[in-house]
Amino acid sequence: MPWFSPEEVTTIALSLKVALVASVASLPFGVALGWLLARRRFPGKALVDALVHLPLVLPPVVMGYALLVSLGTQGPVGAFLENHFGIVFAFRWTGAALASAVMGFPLMVRAIRLSLEATDRRLEQAASTLGAGPWRVFFTITLPLAWPGLVAGTVLAFAKALGEFGATITFVSNIPGETQTLSSAIYGLMQVPGAESGIWRLAAVAVSISLLALMLSEYLVRRHRGNEEH
């Protein structure tokens, strides 16, 4: 990347890593929770649904502070993880991925849930009638039918993670080379006089990556629908 400084290249690479890990790692949980909300009735379902969507309405700084208090090295969960497993999230890139995943999780769950609700359940019932077990029906019928929702949810979570700022900077700070993502780097450059060119370069990268992700998502969804029609 001849147009970018080594520090900017590191920031871009770290942002991609954080966004990718956040979206991929949260996908199994998004599928499980999306299926639960779409297919099951249980006491407290409305409360679970509200808790899932809570990060969308709370200030990101509040979510970041909650993560810091609970998962920081002095927090109950964070101290347990560090003492027993040597796992530390606070002020690490893994913490940035975790905070980004939390903020993007509602978008993922909603997309997957809507896709599951739109699938034809008669196909699942037919497979069950023919002797397929619940897990086989889920992996061979349900998931392929809900594929567009999985793609859309993953891309939305990736884009949200790529642009997340408030929760990440509160939880993991803005450490160059360790936790400094595109958003925090742009914020840091805004405090430096004459750094407009760097801001525009990083902003252009963020926009380009997000557009490419959305275009790839649309392509995969259209291709999947085309295969279904044939």
Side-chain angles (χ1 to χ4, degrees), residues 50 52 87 115 124 162 166 190 219:
V52 168
I87 299 174
S115 186
E124 298 173 334
L162 190 67
M190 290 174 63
Y219 168 76

Side-chain angles (χ1 to χ4, degrees), residues 23-181:
S23 54
V24 172
S26 58
L27 182 58
F29 302 98
V31 171
L33 198 51
W35 179 86
L36 183 67
L37 293 173
R39 298 296 179 82
R40 289 290 182 264
R41 294 182 178 180
F42 55 89
K45 180 178 179 179
L47 177 60
V48 172
D49 192 22
L51 290 174
V52 168
H53 290 85
L54 194 60
L56 290 179
V57 295
L58 278 179
V61 174
V62 174
M63 294 303 303
Y65 182 71
L67 290 173
L68 183 62
V69 170
S70 58
L71 293 174
T73 54
Q74 304 301 317
V77 180
F80 175 82
L81 291 175
E82 183 181 16
N83 294 332
H84 292 81
F85 303 101
I87 299 174
V88 178
F89 286 107
F91 309 110
R92 304 284 178 87
W93 77 266
T94 50
L98 177 61
S100 299
V102 169
M103 297 305 295
F105 193 65
L107 300 175
M108 174 182 284
V109 171
R110 182 167 180 80
I112 294 174
R113 177 185 180 179
L114 292 175
S115 186
L116 286 170
E117 290 176 343
T119 58
D120 189 350
R121 299 193 64 178
R122 291 175 297 181
L123 297 175
E124 298 173 334
Q125 294 169 355
S128 298
T129 302
L130 294 174
W135 285 108
R136 185 175 182 182
V137 171
F138 179 75
F139 283 107
T140 61
I141 304 295
T142 307
L143 280 187
L145 289 175
W147 173 254
L150 269 67
V151 173
T154 303
V155 171
L156 287 173
F158 176 86
K160 177 63 175 175
L162 190 67
E164 180 52 41
F165 173 70
T168 55
I169 201 170
T170 305
F171 184 36
V172 299
S173 188
N174 184 16
I175 307 171
E178 178 64 32
T179 65
Q180 187 178 72
T181 59

